[in-house]
């Protein structure tokens, strides 16, 4: 037995290299281009996804992993663990959480817990990395869950999309619906709040939207963790330069925004997740 193993789904956008380095198992969602089904990060890399999007005649769609796919991942993880923790994309954005719960009902000889992160992409990624760090420290399953429940309240995901068209047509627009009336004259800034996409800000230009993201992150610092997701954005370097001065405890993570979120957000999307420090006395903390 070697402690707790972490499982998540590919909506987290962790690269295979980063997930492997932290011993995080990633269960892939499926992407559909018309009648063609492709397994995220196996049949379809982020680069290939964005290339195909440029010539696609209709928006791609996504499908949650089957309970069987999660069951196989749990079984493999349980072979050298005394507990398995699965972190999923928000249950309000995908049926992935329900699939994982169904898989967890089958006994494996070790406890399996499924946690709805109520977020997506780099928000989900940072929580998975934190869980993996806690597992490496030898923390128990209940201790890791307690850490994550505290961190979820301190983890913010905001982003810039070139248009709300993808979110609207994909039915994922949530609380950002109020932006639709003026979407032709703005560059929307959105956030993931309580598990759904919500309005964050209206900015008149792309440059001002990126500046808004950077200002929001800098105002929240110093930070515990910081991550950026690049959705085939030609100006991603501009944002990264703006974020360089931010003080962060862990190294900043930069990932490619993958097909799961990219199908709904569209090309040119930039996502940022930042995790604020614990509030102080009485807050849950597992760090020495």
């Amino acid at each position: 037995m070697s402690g707790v193993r972490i499982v998540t789904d590919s909506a987290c956008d962790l690269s295979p290299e980063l997930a492997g380095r932290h011993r995080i198992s990633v269960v892939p969602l499926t992407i559909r281009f018309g009648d063609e089904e492709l397994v995220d990060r196996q049949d379809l890399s982020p680069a290939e996804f964005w290339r195909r999007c440029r010539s696609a005649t209709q928006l791609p769609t996504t499908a949650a992993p089957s309970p069987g796919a999660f069951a196989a991942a749990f079984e493999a993880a349980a072979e050298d663990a005394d507990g398995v923790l699965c972190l999923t994309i928000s249950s309000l954005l995908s049926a992935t959480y329900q699939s994982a719960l169904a898989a967890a009902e089958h006994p494996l000889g070790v406890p399996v817990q499924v946690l709805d992160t109520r977020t997506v992409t780099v928000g989900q990624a940072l929580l998975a990395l934190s869980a993996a760090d806690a597992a490496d420290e030898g923390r128990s399953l209940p201790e890791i869950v307690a850490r994550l429940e505290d961190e979820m309240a301190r983890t913010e995901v905001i982003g810039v999309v070139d248009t709300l068209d993808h979110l609207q047509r994909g039915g994922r627009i949530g609380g950002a619906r109020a932006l639709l009336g003026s979407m032709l004259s703005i560059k929307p800034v959105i956030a993931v709040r309580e598990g759904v996409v919500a309005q964050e800000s209206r900015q008149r230009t792309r440059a001002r939207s990126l500046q808004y993201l950077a200002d929001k992150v800098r105002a929240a610092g110093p930070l515990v963790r910081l991550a950026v997701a690049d959705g085939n954005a030609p100006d991603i370097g501009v944002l990264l330069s703006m974020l360089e001065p931010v003080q962060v405890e862990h190294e900043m993570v930069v990932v490619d925004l993958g097909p799961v979120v990219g199908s709904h957000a569209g090309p040119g999307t930039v996502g940022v997740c930042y995790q604020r420090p614990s509030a102080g006395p009485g807050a849950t903390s597992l760090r020495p």
Side-chain angles (χ1 to χ4, degrees):
M1 296 292 184
S2 60
V4 177
R5 286 291 306 275
I6 308 304
V7 176
T8 189
D9 60 73
S10 64
C12 71
D13 288 327
L14 285 172
S15 68
E17 295 76 19
L18 190 56
R21 193 186 316 155
H22 292 270
R23 298 181 71 234
I24 298 171
S25 300
V26 180
V27 179
L29 280 79
T30 301
I31 315 301
R32 296 192 182 106
F33 282 91
D35 295 330
E36 185 179 12
E37 291 193 356
L38 301 163
V39 178
D40 187 18
R41 308 277 175 158
Q42 295 180 16
D43 302 330
L44 190 66
S45 69
E48 175 64 12
F49 167 75
W50 293 117
R51 186 192 68 77
R52 292 179 67 129
C53 281
R54 287 195 291 270
S55 58
T57 57
Q58 59 186 33
L59 291 182
T61 60
T62 59
S66 67
F70 275 111
F74 295 164
E75 184 175 359
E79 289 180 358
D80 64 347
D82 52 23
V84 176
L85 176 59
C86 177
L87 308 177
T88 73
I89 178 178
S90 169
S91 62
L92 298 178
L93 297 175
S94 170
T96 299
Y97 174 68
Q98 286 74 20
S99 286
L101 279 181
E105 292 178 355
H106 301 282
L108 288 176
V110 302
V112 177
Q113 185 160 348
V114 180
L115 186 64
D116 178 0
T117 66
R118 308 284 284 184
T119 189
V120 69
T121 186
V122 278
Q124 184 180 344
L126 290 189
L127 292 170
L129 292 173
S130 178
D133 286 349
D136 287 343
E137 294 166 7
R139 306 298 181 176
S140 67
L141 183 56
E143 286 178 315
I144 298 173
V145 171
R147 169 186 280 189
L148 294 185
E149 288 177 340
D150 174 59
E151 290 179 349
M152 285 166 63
R154 298 185 279 110
T155 301
E156 304 286 344
V157 175
I158 56 176
V160 172
V161 294
D162 259 0
T163 172
L164 290 174
D165 183 58
H166 284 69
L167 285 167
Q168 181 188 21
R169 291 165 64 187
R172 300 302 201 278
I173 199 162
R177 190 172 304 277
L179 288 170
L180 286 174
S182 56
M183 70 181 186
L184 294 179
S185 61
I186 64 169
K187 288 299 180 182
V189 180
I190 59 174
V192 180
R193 294 199 182 103
E194 298 299 324
V196 298
V197 179
Q199 173 182 331
E200 169 66 24
S201 174
R202 293 178 171 90
Q203 299 295 322
R204 290 294 178 184
T205 66
R206 172 81 174 190
R208 290 178 64 177
S209 292
L210 294 179
Q211 187 67 60
Y212 180 93
L213 294 188
D215 289 346
K216 186 95 172 178
V217 173
R218 287 198 294 256
L223 303 171
V224 178
R225 295 180 188 266
L226 175 64
V228 175
D230 172 16
N232 198 35
D235 49 7
I236 187 66
V238 174
L239 177 64
L240 293 177
S241 295
M242 292 178 181
L243 295 177
E244 282 182 1
V246 178
Q247 295 183 32
V248 59
E249 182 178 338
H250 296 267
E251 182 179 0
M252 182 172 70
V253 174
V254 181
V255 301
D256 291 320
L257 188 73
V260 176
V261 178
S263 294
H264 302 288
T269 298
V270 175
V272 176
C273 177
Y274 57 94
Q275 191 178 92
R276 301 184 305 276
S278 180
T284 300
S285 176
L286 298 179
R287 288 192 169 275

